[in-house]
Amino acid sequence: QKEVEQNSGPLSVPEGAIASLNCTYSDRGSQSFFWYRQYSGKSPELIMSIYSNGDKEDGRFTAQLNKASQYVSLLIRDSQPSDSATYLCAVNDQAGTALIFGKGTTLSVSS
Amino acid sequence: GAVVSQHPSRVICKSGTSVKIECRSLDFQATTMFWYRQFPKQSLMLMATSNEGSKATYEQGVEKDKFLINHASLTLSTLTVTSAHPEDSSFYICSARDRTGGDYGYTFGSGTRLTVV
């Protein structure tokens, strides 16, 4: 059974702070890793994808991957109230196969 | 970018009736469509994977006779919930993968909130 684990939160940070979201996965064969943001009642929207060990930065977002530890994280710098949402970690083991999602971490950014 | 149009966005139906949910890829050809279900405060659970022109592959525990999936063309996939019951009330989301794949190869529909009364 392939599993993706996330702390459900809520994670509360003040506006302007760094939010750190973590995810672990069980399948060592996982190849692709994704972070999605989901607002209540809406479908997920892609924030970032990462495939290689190390960091990948895109604007205020940085994804970090450590395949040896089976760990992937997302850092959000200068957090804004509009970042308040549920963040879903997703992985797959082969290009084109279905994504397996974690339960998500709820982030709350207070102004 | 790639867009998947999903309809209806909300539907309320009576117990025992059937509901059809449509997902259309508007500007690309969806060779594969994934159907997910999401209960409140839960994650997206994969229900089935369909490839254009072939039968869908269902995940363990998902009744294929209850959740009928049709992927007859490269731009349209449908999910029909037959003989719906209150426990089928959930948020259903489709996800399509276009031929080019890549980072943005997974495009999600906007979701359908199904309420069975």
Side-chain angles (χ1 to χ4, degrees), chain A residues 38 43 49 51 92 97 99 102, chain B residues 34 36 38 43 97 103 106 109:
Chain A
Q38 186 178 29
S43 68
S49 59
Y51 303 97
N92 72 354
T97 60
L99 297 179
Chain B
F34 305 101
Y36 292 86
Q38 186 178 34
S43 188
R97 183 172 183 268
D103 281 10
Y106 295 91

Side-chain angles (χ1 to χ4, degrees), chain A residues 34 36 38 41-44 46 49 51 56 88 92 95-99 101-103, chain B residues 32 34 36 38 42-44 46 49 91 93 97 102-104 106 108-111 113:
Chain A
F34 303 82
Y36 285 83
Q38 186 178 29
K42 304 294 184 182
S43 68
L46 180 68
S49 59
Y51 303 97
K56 179 181 178 183
L88 300 169
N92 72 354
T97 60
L99 297 179
F101 285 85
K103 289 187 176 181
Chain B
T32 304
F34 305 101
Y36 292 86
Q38 186 178 34
Q42 299 294 315
S43 188
L44 279 74
L46 180 67
T49 300
F91 191 51
I93 309 173
R97 183 172 183 268
D103 281 10
Y104 298 91
Y106 295 91
F108 284 83
S110 55
R113 175 74 58 192

